[in-house]
Amino acid sequence: MKSPQSMGMNRSGIDLSTQGAEEMMKAVDEFPPASGGNAMTLSQLRAPYLAEADPVGSIPLPGTLKGVAKSGMQKLMGHHAEVLIDQLAGRLAFERTGTRLYDALIGKFMTRKDEATMLSVDQLQQIRAEEAAHLGLCWDALRQLGADPTAVTPLADTNAVASIGLMQVIADPRMTIAQSLHAIHVAELTDNDGWRLLIKLAREMGQDEMAGRLQTALEEEERHLASLRTWMEQISLNEAGAQ
Ligand SMILES: [Fe+2]
Ligand SMILES: [Fe+2]
């Protein structure tokens, strides 16, 4: 297998054919686009869809009266409980994706460990277990509010769609461990900010006890990000022959 840094086979750049580049520039003048429009045309085309679109989903309010009675819902009175429910469900969806991203990375790493010798499967499995536990934290918090953790809320849907590309990177057998870590990096940055926002929201909505439990997830996410940064730095420096 070629290393990702192997040079010489990339034919995507313009410098490969000076003459071809000149001819292409001439052709641009000779054959202008047959249709009008500019960068705003696409936005104009989208405008009527924006005006007519239904929302991507809705936020189910707690379905059980029992749940409402026993939970901290009373403290949420006067606030929009559905905002906290949506944020928790969105976090839950992203943590589930995070768990799957690590599952896929662990599978790749098992067969291609030699690409990243500073990593160990134990480290990856520990992070994977923490991501799965984070999902459980969101699940319990939703239950505590009397909400249904299996419901796909708008933010859960948004996060699921936004993370599609991350899984595509890791599942692609051509992408190396180092390249796969870039996708994990995007997920971990999002994890960190996601928990920060969620904890702030929970506190502001009178859910101090819940916020305290969510805080442990943020501390673990900070460690995930720090590990990722170290690994990516070591791999890059190694590849560059700078270490
Ligand atoms: Fe997480
Ligand atoms: Fe994480």
PDB file of all heavy atoms in Angstrom, residues 91 94-95 98-99 127 130-132 134-135 188 191 195 217 220-221 224, ligand 1:
ATOM      1  N   ARG A  91     -27.682  15.865  21.805  1.00  0.00           N
ATOM      2  CA  ARG A  91     -26.428  15.370  22.392  1.00  0.00           C
ATOM      3  C   ARG A  91     -26.431  13.833  22.380  1.00  0.00           C
ATOM      4  O   ARG A  91     -25.443  13.200  22.051  1.00  0.00           O
ATOM      5  CB  ARG A  91     -26.377  15.898  23.821  1.00  0.00           C
ATOM      6  CG  ARG A  91     -25.131  16.049  24.571  1.00  0.00           C
ATOM      7  CD  ARG A  91     -24.118  17.013  24.034  1.00  0.00           C
ATOM      8  NE  ARG A  91     -23.038  16.275  23.434  1.00  0.00           N
ATOM      9  CZ  ARG A  91     -22.563  16.494  22.231  1.00  0.00           C
ATOM     10  NH1 ARG A  91     -23.007  17.460  21.485  1.00  0.00           N
ATOM     11  NH2 ARG A  91     -21.613  15.767  21.738  1.00  0.00           N
ATOM     12  N   PHE A  94     -25.667  12.555  18.964  1.00  0.00           N
ATOM     13  CA  PHE A  94     -24.266  12.727  18.556  1.00  0.00           C
ATOM     14  C   PHE A  94     -23.341  11.794  19.323  1.00  0.00           C
ATOM     15  O   PHE A  94     -22.352  11.303  18.782  1.00  0.00           O
ATOM     16  CB  PHE A  94     -23.838  14.188  18.721  1.00  0.00           C
ATOM     17  CG  PHE A  94     -22.648  14.531  17.860  1.00  0.00           C
ATOM     18  CD1 PHE A  94     -22.814  14.766  16.500  1.00  0.00           C
ATOM     19  CD2 PHE A  94     -21.371  14.596  18.386  1.00  0.00           C
ATOM     20  CE1 PHE A  94     -21.722  15.058  15.692  1.00  0.00           C
ATOM     21  CE2 PHE A  94     -20.275  14.891  17.583  1.00  0.00           C
ATOM     22  CZ  PHE A  94     -20.451  15.130  16.236  1.00  0.00           C
ATOM     23  N   GLU A  95     -23.659  11.520  20.580  1.00  0.00           N
ATOM     24  CA  GLU A  95     -22.838  10.587  21.367  1.00  0.00           C
ATOM     25  C   GLU A  95     -22.985   9.164  20.821  1.00  0.00           C
ATOM     26  O   GLU A  95     -22.036   8.386  20.835  1.00  0.00           O
ATOM     27  CB  GLU A  95     -23.228  10.637  22.840  1.00  0.00           C
ATOM     28  CG  GLU A  95     -22.933  11.971  23.516  1.00  0.00           C
ATOM     29  CD  GLU A  95     -21.453  12.302  23.613  1.00  0.00           C
ATOM     30  OE1 GLU A  95     -20.646  11.376  23.746  1.00  0.00           O
ATOM     31  OE2 GLU A  95     -21.111  13.494  23.532  1.00  0.00           O
ATOM     32  N   GLY A  98     -20.827   9.131  17.934  1.00  0.00           N
ATOM     33  CA  GLY A  98     -19.442   9.088  18.407  1.00  0.00           C
ATOM     34  C   GLY A  98     -19.022   7.670  18.761  1.00  0.00           C
ATOM     35  O   GLY A  98     -17.926   7.224  18.433  1.00  0.00           O
ATOM     36  N   THR A  99     -19.918   6.957  19.428  1.00  0.00           N
ATOM     37  CA  THR A  99     -19.634   5.561  19.791  1.00  0.00           C
ATOM     38  C   THR A  99     -19.389   4.742  18.520  1.00  0.00           C
ATOM     39  O   THR A  99     -18.439   3.964  18.432  1.00  0.00           O
ATOM     40  CB  THR A  99     -20.833   4.968  20.569  1.00  0.00           C
ATOM     41  OG1 THR A  99     -21.150   5.861  21.638  1.00  0.00           O
ATOM     42  CG2 THR A  99     -20.501   3.603  21.141  1.00  0.00           C
ATOM     43  N   ILE A 127     -12.099   5.359  25.303  1.00  0.00           N
ATOM     44  CA  ILE A 127     -12.871   6.520  24.834  1.00  0.00           C
ATOM     45  C   ILE A 127     -14.232   6.063  24.298  1.00  0.00           C
ATOM     46  O   ILE A 127     -15.263   6.669  24.568  1.00  0.00           O
ATOM     47  CB  ILE A 127     -12.100   7.315  23.751  1.00  0.00           C
ATOM     48  CG1 ILE A 127     -10.780   7.834  24.327  1.00  0.00           C
ATOM     49  CG2 ILE A 127     -12.948   8.469  23.247  1.00  0.00           C
ATOM     50  CD1 ILE A 127      -9.965   8.662  23.362  1.00  0.00           C
ATOM     51  N   GLU A 130     -16.550   5.545  27.045  1.00  0.00           N
ATOM     52  CA  GLU A 130     -17.012   6.819  27.627  1.00  0.00           C
ATOM     53  C   GLU A 130     -18.075   7.466  26.742  1.00  0.00           C
ATOM     54  O   GLU A 130     -19.061   8.021  27.243  1.00  0.00           O
ATOM     55  CB  GLU A 130     -15.815   7.752  27.864  1.00  0.00           C
ATOM     56  CG  GLU A 130     -14.992   7.283  29.062  1.00  0.00           C
ATOM     57  CD  GLU A 130     -13.654   7.995  29.228  1.00  0.00           C
ATOM     58  OE1 GLU A 130     -13.318   8.879  28.408  1.00  0.00           O
ATOM     59  OE2 GLU A 130     -12.938   7.648  30.186  1.00  0.00           O
ATOM     60  N   GLU A 131     -17.891   7.383  25.416  1.00  0.00           N
ATOM     61  CA  GLU A 131     -18.918   7.940  24.512  1.00  0.00           C
ATOM     62  C   GLU A 131     -20.255   7.233  24.749  1.00  0.00           C
ATOM     63  O   GLU A 131     -21.308   7.867  24.809  1.00  0.00           O
ATOM     64  CB  GLU A 131     -18.510   7.803  23.036  1.00  0.00           C
ATOM     65  CG  GLU A 131     -17.194   8.464  22.631  1.00  0.00           C
ATOM     66  CD  GLU A 131     -17.158   9.971  22.800  1.00  0.00           C
ATOM     67  OE1 GLU A 131     -18.130  10.553  23.307  1.00  0.00           O
ATOM     68  OE2 GLU A 131     -16.130  10.566  22.455  1.00  0.00           O
ATOM     69  N   ALA A 132     -20.187   5.912  24.888  1.00  0.00           N
ATOM     70  CA  ALA A 132     -21.427   5.160  25.116  1.00  0.00           C
ATOM     71  C   ALA A 132     -22.051   5.550  26.458  1.00  0.00           C
ATOM     72  O   ALA A 132     -23.283   5.660  26.578  1.00  0.00           O
ATOM     73  CB  ALA A 132     -21.150   3.657  25.065  1.00  0.00           C
ATOM     74  N   HIS A 134     -21.812   8.454  27.825  1.00  0.00           N
ATOM     75  CA  HIS A 134     -22.384   9.800  27.649  1.00  0.00           C
ATOM     76  C   HIS A 134     -23.796   9.720  27.084  1.00  0.00           C
ATOM     77  O   HIS A 134     -24.684  10.474  27.463  1.00  0.00           O
ATOM     78  CB  HIS A 134     -21.506  10.637  26.709  1.00  0.00           C
ATOM     79  CG  HIS A 134     -20.140  10.896  27.257  1.00  0.00           C
ATOM     80  ND1 HIS A 134     -19.119  11.416  26.503  1.00  0.00           N
ATOM     81  CD2 HIS A 134     -19.632  10.694  28.505  1.00  0.00           C
ATOM     82  CE1 HIS A 134     -18.037  11.515  27.259  1.00  0.00           C
ATOM     83  NE2 HIS A 134     -18.329  11.084  28.469  1.00  0.00           N
ATOM     84  N   LEU A 135     -23.955   8.795  26.153  1.00  0.00           N
ATOM     85  CA  LEU A 135     -25.295   8.553  25.606  1.00  0.00           C
ATOM     86  C   LEU A 135     -26.245   8.201  26.757  1.00  0.00           C
ATOM     87  O   LEU A 135     -27.358   8.729  26.846  1.00  0.00           O
ATOM     88  CB  LEU A 135     -25.171   7.405  24.611  1.00  0.00           C
ATOM     89  CG  LEU A 135     -26.344   6.961  23.744  1.00  0.00           C
ATOM     90  CD1 LEU A 135     -25.806   6.121  22.602  1.00  0.00           C
ATOM     91  CD2 LEU A 135     -27.375   6.186  24.513  1.00  0.00           C
ATOM     92  N   GLU A 188     -14.948  15.331  18.272  1.00  0.00           N
ATOM     93  CA  GLU A 188     -14.561  15.670  19.651  1.00  0.00           C
ATOM     94  C   GLU A 188     -14.688  17.172  19.927  1.00  0.00           C
ATOM     95  O   GLU A 188     -15.073  17.569  21.024  1.00  0.00           O
ATOM     96  CB  GLU A 188     -13.137  15.186  19.951  1.00  0.00           C
ATOM     97  CG  GLU A 188     -12.998  13.672  20.016  1.00  0.00           C
ATOM     98  CD  GLU A 188     -13.724  13.029  21.206  1.00  0.00           C
ATOM     99  OE1 GLU A 188     -14.419  13.727  21.945  1.00  0.00           O
ATOM    100  OE2 GLU A 188     -13.591  11.795  21.357  1.00  0.00           O
ATOM    101  N   ASP A 191     -18.269  17.639  20.423  1.00  0.00           N
ATOM    102  CA  ASP A 191     -18.620  17.076  21.737  1.00  0.00           C
ATOM    103  C   ASP A 191     -18.349  18.093  22.842  1.00  0.00           C
ATOM    104  O   ASP A 191     -19.191  18.353  23.693  1.00  0.00           O
ATOM    105  CB  ASP A 191     -17.741  15.846  22.037  1.00  0.00           C
ATOM    106  CG  ASP A 191     -18.360  14.551  21.511  1.00  0.00           C
ATOM    107  OD1 ASP A 191     -19.510  14.582  21.062  1.00  0.00           O
ATOM    108  OD2 ASP A 191     -17.671  13.517  21.562  1.00  0.00           O
ATOM    109  N   TRP A 195     -21.393  19.726  25.106  1.00  0.00           N
ATOM    110  CA  TRP A 195     -21.592  19.526  26.551  1.00  0.00           C
ATOM    111  C   TRP A 195     -21.572  20.850  27.305  1.00  0.00           C
ATOM    112  O   TRP A 195     -22.343  21.062  28.238  1.00  0.00           O
ATOM    113  CB  TRP A 195     -20.529  18.576  27.123  1.00  0.00           C
ATOM    114  CG  TRP A 195     -20.816  17.149  26.769  1.00  0.00           C
ATOM    115  CD1 TRP A 195     -20.177  16.393  25.842  1.00  0.00           C
ATOM    116  CD2 TRP A 195     -21.840  16.303  27.324  1.00  0.00           C
ATOM    117  NE1 TRP A 195     -20.735  15.142  25.785  1.00  0.00           N
ATOM    118  CE2 TRP A 195     -21.750  15.052  26.689  1.00  0.00           C
ATOM    119  CE3 TRP A 195     -22.822  16.488  28.300  1.00  0.00           C
ATOM    120  CZ2 TRP A 195     -22.608  13.992  26.990  1.00  0.00           C
ATOM    121  CZ3 TRP A 195     -23.674  15.436  28.604  1.00  0.00           C
ATOM    122  CH2 TRP A 195     -23.558  14.205  27.953  1.00  0.00           C
ATOM    123  N   ALA A 217     -19.116  14.295  31.969  1.00  0.00           N
ATOM    124  CA  ALA A 217     -18.941  14.033  30.533  1.00  0.00           C
ATOM    125  C   ALA A 217     -18.025  15.080  29.910  1.00  0.00           C
ATOM    126  O   ALA A 217     -17.143  14.756  29.104  1.00  0.00           O
ATOM    127  CB  ALA A 217     -20.296  14.028  29.819  1.00  0.00           C
ATOM    128  N   GLU A 220     -14.466  14.351  30.626  1.00  0.00           N
ATOM    129  CA  GLU A 220     -13.951  13.262  29.779  1.00  0.00           C
ATOM    130  C   GLU A 220     -13.735  13.744  28.347  1.00  0.00           C
ATOM    131  O   GLU A 220     -12.743  13.391  27.708  1.00  0.00           O
ATOM    132  CB  GLU A 220     -14.913  12.062  29.818  1.00  0.00           C
ATOM    133  CG  GLU A 220     -14.786  11.313  31.136  1.00  0.00           C
ATOM    134  CD  GLU A 220     -15.890  10.281  31.366  1.00  0.00           C
ATOM    135  OE1 GLU A 220     -16.852  10.221  30.568  1.00  0.00           O
ATOM    136  OE2 GLU A 220     -15.770   9.545  32.349  1.00  0.00           O
ATOM    137  N   GLU A 221     -14.644  14.567  27.849  1.00  0.00           N
ATOM    138  CA  GLU A 221     -14.483  15.093  26.484  1.00  0.00           C
ATOM    139  C   GLU A 221     -13.212  15.929  26.372  1.00  0.00           C
ATOM    140  O   GLU A 221     -12.534  15.903  25.344  1.00  0.00           O
ATOM    141  CB  GLU A 221     -15.692  15.945  26.075  1.00  0.00           C
ATOM    142  CG  GLU A 221     -17.017  15.230  26.039  1.00  0.00           C
ATOM    143  CD  GLU A 221     -17.113  14.118  25.008  1.00  0.00           C
ATOM    144  OE1 GLU A 221     -16.092  13.748  24.398  1.00  0.00           O
ATOM    145  OE2 GLU A 221     -18.221  13.596  24.828  1.00  0.00           O
ATOM    146  N   HIS A 224     -10.508  13.541  25.895  1.00  0.00           N
ATOM    147  CA  HIS A 224     -10.517  12.972  24.530  1.00  0.00           C
ATOM    148  C   HIS A 224      -9.825  13.930  23.565  1.00  0.00           C
ATOM    149  O   HIS A 224      -8.995  13.538  22.750  1.00  0.00           O
ATOM    150  CB  HIS A 224     -11.956  12.757  24.019  1.00  0.00           C
ATOM    151  CG  HIS A 224     -12.754  11.782  24.832  1.00  0.00           C
ATOM    152  ND1 HIS A 224     -14.086  11.541  24.591  1.00  0.00           N
ATOM    153  CD2 HIS A 224     -12.402  10.991  25.878  1.00  0.00           C
ATOM    154  CE1 HIS A 224     -14.523  10.630  25.462  1.00  0.00           C
ATOM    155  NE2 HIS A 224     -13.524  10.298  26.253  1.00  0.00           N
TER     156      HIS A 224
HETATM  157 FE    FE B   1     -18.841  11.958  24.219  1.00  0.00          FE
END
